[in-house]
DNA sequence: GACACGTTTCAATTAATGTTGAAATATCAT
DNA sequence: ATGATATTTCAACATTAATTGAAACGTGTC
């Protein structure tokens, strides 16, 4: 992954509205949600949601599909995973012991987040 | 983790400069780097770096420590891990099979990124 | 103490982002 | 076709971010 793509993706997650939007779609993967449902669940006007949807679509983190007169949005989970991999790559100059220490410090369960390689 | 904190963290990673800055510190964990070295490695003026350093410091993703007349910056890896955990939480309504499919699709090695729980 | 060096703050400019209501567009139901 | 509904585009405004050079601030060195 290239820097430009990754920073665009983080940009897409950098507003409260868009972050909640994306997490909503992550929770609702793989089915996704139509715009109206998203608008209701986030409690923001559809016009504002549309603005933010454009940003996440541009980043690639979300995809859209026409469904009658609705538009269904879905989180692009594989891209999310690639982005995480990009962020954590070559962590600690590839010394697993240090990474392990950090992971313990974070309190995050190992099954959820083992960025340690091998 | 709260939405506000997480979006501030993604905001910190949303510019090319800051993303490269953070990844540089991740690679150089746990030792960190002093500002001058960062400035040289990123090839940007110290005044501009200082601006971006403030942003990542504010987010908590980077910490700083005085070292004589230098300032040493370090990536906050545990916070990075918590943030990743926040982003991926309740993925696919906790149906591991779907998550596994996505992971295969992403092409990311399982040891690097198993967000699947259990 | 005077000087050099690393780093930050300030001021100025340029550009981009977030929000809202009104209007436009597209699709389905009758 | 007409009307109702879903969603987007547009215009306007307020807010915030990015970049740069000059100046200021600390800290170590001679």
């Amino acid at each position: 992954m290239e820097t430009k793509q990754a920073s665009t993706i983080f940009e897409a997650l950098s507003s409260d509205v868009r972050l909640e939007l994306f997490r909503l779609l992550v929770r609702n993967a793989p089915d996704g949600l139509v715009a109206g449902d998203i608008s209701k669940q986030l409690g923001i006007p559809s016009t504002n949601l549309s603005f933010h949807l454009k940003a996440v679509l541009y980043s690639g983190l979300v995809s859209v599909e026409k469904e009658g007169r609705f538009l269904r949005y879905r989180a692009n989970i594989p891209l999310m995973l690639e982005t995480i991999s990009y962020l954590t790559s070559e962590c600690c100059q590839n010394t697993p012991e240090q990474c392990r220490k950090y992971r313990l410090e974070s309190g995050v369960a190992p099954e959820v987040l083992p960025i340690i390689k091998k």
Side-chain angles (χ1 to χ4, degrees), chain A:
Chain A
M1 179 172 295
E2 291 180 8
T3 305
K4 193 84 205 81
Q5 184 186 8
S7 67
T8 300
I9 286 168
F10 289 122
E11 159 73 31
L13 299 171
S14 72
S15 99
D16 284 28
V17 170
R18 289 194 297 268
L19 182 53
E20 283 307 318
L21 160 58
F22 182 68
R23 286 188 5 117
L24 183 62
L25 293 179
V26 168
R27 284 196 297 277
N28 285 277
D31 302 346
L33 291 171
V34 297
D37 286 350
I38 300 173
S39 174
K40 266 175 227 144
Q41 295 213 37
L42 296 183
I44 62 171
S46 59
T47 172
N48 192 17
L49 174 62
S50 187
F51 171 83
H52 289 296
L53 279 171
K54 213 158 52 173
V56 288
L57 279 174
Y58 176 74
S59 77
L61 266 188
V62 166
S63 67
V64 66
E65 192 187 3
K66 230 176 172 173
E67 195 174 289
R69 61 175 152 168
F70 301 84
L71 286 171
R72 179 166 293 272
Y73 292 89
R74 286 187 180 85
N76 183 345
I77 309 279
L79 183 57
M80 174 183 80
L81 297 181
E82 284 176 54
T83 308
I84 292 172
S85 169
Y86 172 82
L87 191 62
T88 58
S89 71
E90 298 171 58
C91 179
C92 309
Q93 305 162 71
N94 292 322
T95 58
E97 300 77 25
Q98 183 58 47
C99 279
R100 206 166 288 135
K101 239 185 235 172
Y102 278 137
R103 196 193 60 203
L104 290 172
E105 222 177 299
S106 78
V108 175
E111 318 85 54
V112 180
L113 264 185
I115 63 156
I116 295 174
K117 289 145 194 170
K118 268 203 298 5

